[in-house]
């Protein structure tokens, strides 16, 4: 089993140009993500998939592996695939870690890797975290105000996804046996994906369906086409999750790092 962890990293972000090279608490965003990926046990190689020589030079400068991919890739999934198919040998499995996920703990990624290793025939694997009541109430408030907040997911008894949505599911009644002080029976999706290489190849031949177009969630393409998607529950162990999409997110991430400390034992 050959698992390649691939980080898609594009310079021309529409909301934050040059995002991978922006500094977050003194280190570039892409260096931070690569460092977290390097701490993940169970993967065979780590690659930054990019369309910009500035990013590639920076990655190679700190000892990482950069793979150049076409500028025309429409999203991170296509960029990950372009990088994976160029590798020799082509990996049997691919783990896609978003290039702006500076607050993703290595142990969360390892949980996805463990499931891929345990059941190598799984076509796709992703992750979800159980919401506490504070997160749940915020998600409900965001939905009521018309904002697209956290993505939630429901899955069957075997952990296979039934549906993903920008809404909040399931609806939790106050008199429900599921209602407890420990947390809501609602799971927030974590945007990490593991694929068999053959599944990733097939996935990218499929057209977006009505559910994906309505929700703007790529993972619904798998469900609409009958591709099973395993969901594993992960635990952030008190850490705050988040990624960087806009300028304000940099300040937020820096505040989290300052208050909670670095994710890695050794200083980045």
């Amino acid at each position: 089993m050959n698992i390649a962890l691939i980080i898609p990293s594009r310079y021309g972000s529409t909301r934050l140009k040059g995002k991978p090279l922006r500094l977050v608490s003194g280190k570039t965003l892409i260096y931070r993500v690569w460092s977290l990926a390097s701490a993940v046990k169970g993967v065979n190689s780590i690659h930054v998939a990019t369309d910009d020589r500035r990013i590639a030079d920076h990655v190679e400068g700190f000892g990482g592996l950069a793979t150049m991919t076409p500028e025309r890739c429409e999203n991170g999934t296509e960029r990950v695939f372009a990088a994976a198919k160029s590798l020799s040998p082509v990996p049997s499995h691919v783990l896609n870690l978003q290039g702006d996920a500076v607050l993703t703990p290595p142990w969360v990624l390892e949980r996805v890797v463990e499931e891929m290793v345990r059941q190598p025939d799984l076509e796709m694997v992703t992750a979800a975290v159980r919401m506490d009541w504070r997160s749940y109430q915020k998600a409900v408030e965001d939905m009521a105000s018309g904002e697209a907040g956290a993505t939630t997911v429901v899955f069957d008894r075997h952990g296979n996804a039934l549906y993903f949505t920008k809404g909040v599911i399931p609806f939790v009644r106050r008199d429900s046996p599921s209602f407890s002080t420990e947390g809501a029976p609602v799971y927030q999706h974590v945007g990490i994906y593991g694929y068999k290489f053959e599944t990733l190849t097939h996935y990218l031949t499929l057209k977006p369906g009505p559910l994906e177009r309505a929700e703007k969630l790529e993972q619904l393409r798998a469900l609409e086409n009958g591709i099973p998607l395993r969901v594993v529950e992960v635990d952030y162990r008190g850490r705050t999750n988040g990624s960087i999409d806009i300028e304000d997110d940099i300040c937020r991430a820096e505040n989290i790092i300052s208050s909670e400390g670095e994710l890695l034992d050794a200083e980045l």
Side-chain angles (χ1 to χ4, degrees), residues 157-216:
R157 292 178 180 272
H158 303 288
N160 297 315
L162 297 171
Y163 195 66
F164 297 85
T165 181
K166 281 294 184 181
V168 181
I169 52 175
F171 173 77
V172 185
R173 296 172 57 99
R174 287 280 174 173
D175 59 354
S176 167
S178 297
F179 195 99
S180 74
T181 58
E182 296 178 359
V186 178
Y187 287 83
Q188 180 176 343
H189 180 230
V190 179
I192 302 165
Y193 296 96
Y195 311 85
K196 288 176 64 176
F197 180 78
E198 292 86 351
T199 302
L200 180 57
T201 304
H202 173 57
Y203 172 88
L204 288 173
T205 67
L206 303 171
K207 301 295 184 184
L211 298 177
E212 178 183 350
R213 291 195 297 269
E215 297 260 13
K216 295 185 178 179

Side-chain angles (χ1 to χ4, degrees), residues 5 27 33 57-58 80 87 97 129 133 161 176 182 187 201 238 242:
L5 191 162
K27 303 294 181 182
V33 176
D57 289 344
H58 178 63
V80 165
L87 300 178
L97 173 61
V129 59
W133 283 112
S176 167
E182 296 178 359
Y187 287 83
T201 304

